[in-house]
Amino acid sequence: MILKEIPKSERPREKALKFGITALSNRELIAILIKTGFQGYSSLKIAEDVLKISNGIGNLSKLELRDFLKVKGIKEAKALEILACIELSKRLNYEECLDLNIIDRPKALITWLNKEIGSSQQEQFMVVYLNTKNRIITYRILFKGTIDSSLIHPREIFKEALLLSSSKILLVHNHPSGDTTPSDADIKSTYKIIEAGNLMGIKVIDHIIVTCNKHFSFVNEGII
């Protein structure tokens, strides 16, 4: 069914104006971003195709520009608009974390980390730098690629900590496989970083492994 054949009250834009944006389904929200379809193919159908290639809304942030361009009816401009919305969502979650004691509000932290690097198809090692009140100063993605204990240099981590006057750090990395179980290399590198931090008086408060919708905390699991 093309959009003009859908009753006006059920079209995404009209429905949002009448009932509010939260009344829309995932498909309808994406259709609003897509705006228009092409002959015989509505924006709703294109949105449906997007959800098919992403395997659901939860994996949408895994898609890259080239993935969107494979969907019939999506060109660079539309793909960039969707990617911009995904990036805005990440930044909004990060901004929410800045005013929080992340020890007291771990859920907000995990939501941001899931979105920030959890969906990446490449393994990334991030360090979140904290002040004495457990609030985020900033973060750095220091290493990319397969995380091996020989590749993670404590000097890079703690050089940043000293420059930022950070007294505590949080280690984070993602597992593109979707399995958050730590490897032997994950555990070995964590102990090496903790040992270096103890010598410098900078505490490692946790190491968290994330995917787009799961996480594993070394502290909660009793590993550190």
Side-chain angles (χ1 to χ4, degrees), residues 125 127 129 140-143 151-164 169 193 196 200:
F125 187 91
V127 181
Y129 296 94
R140 299 279 189 270
I141 295 175
L142 297 180
F143 308 104
L151 300 177
I152 299 175
H153 304 295
R155 65 175 176 270
E156 297 296 327
I157 294 170
F158 293 105
K159 178 180 74 174
E160 289 290 328
L162 293 172
L163 289 171
L164 295 164
I169 61 171
I193 295 167
M200 302 186 69

Side-chain angles (χ1 to χ4, degrees), residues 136-150:
I136 297 173
I137 299 171
T138 190
Y139 69 94
R140 299 279 189 270
I141 295 175
L142 297 180
F143 308 104
K144 290 186 178 182
T146 302
I147 303 300
D148 183 273
S149 59
S150 64

Side-chain angles (χ1 to χ4, degrees), residues 78-167:
K78 289 181 181 180
L80 288 172
E81 286 181 24
I82 298 171
L83 288 169
C85 287
I86 294 170
E87 182 61 27
L88 279 171
S89 176
K90 292 179 184 179
R91 296 186 188 191
L92 285 168
N93 282 119
Y94 175 60
E95 289 293 324
E96 288 177 7
C97 289
L98 290 179
D99 294 327
L100 301 176
N101 178 323
I102 64 167
I103 302 298
D104 294 339
R105 297 284 298 278
K107 187 175 180 180
L109 173 72
I110 296 301
T111 298
W112 165 55
L113 294 175
N114 287 146
K115 290 185 177 181
E116 186 64 39
I117 64 169
S119 297
S120 175
Q121 297 304 295
Q122 182 181 37
E123 198 160 338
Q124 300 183 38
F125 187 91
M126 172 198 286
V127 181
V128 182
Y129 296 94
L130 309 170
N131 62 21
T132 55
K133 296 181 178 180
N134 300 320
R135 299 194 175 193
I136 297 173
I137 299 171
T138 190
Y139 69 94
R140 299 279 189 270
I141 295 175
L142 297 180
F143 308 104
K144 290 186 178 182
T146 302
I147 303 300
D148 183 273
S149 59
S150 64
L151 300 177
I152 299 175
H153 304 295
R155 65 175 176 270
E156 297 296 327
I157 294 170
F158 293 105
K159 178 180 74 174
E160 289 290 328
L162 293 172
L163 289 171
L164 295 164
S165 298
S166 173
S167 59

Side-chain angles (χ1 to χ4, degrees), residues 193-210:
I193 295 167
I194 289 173
E195 184 178 353
N198 289 339
L199 290 173
M200 302 186 69
I202 298 173
K203 184 178 180 180
V204 177
I205 64 168
D206 202 351
H207 186 168
I208 298 175
I209 300 172
V210 294

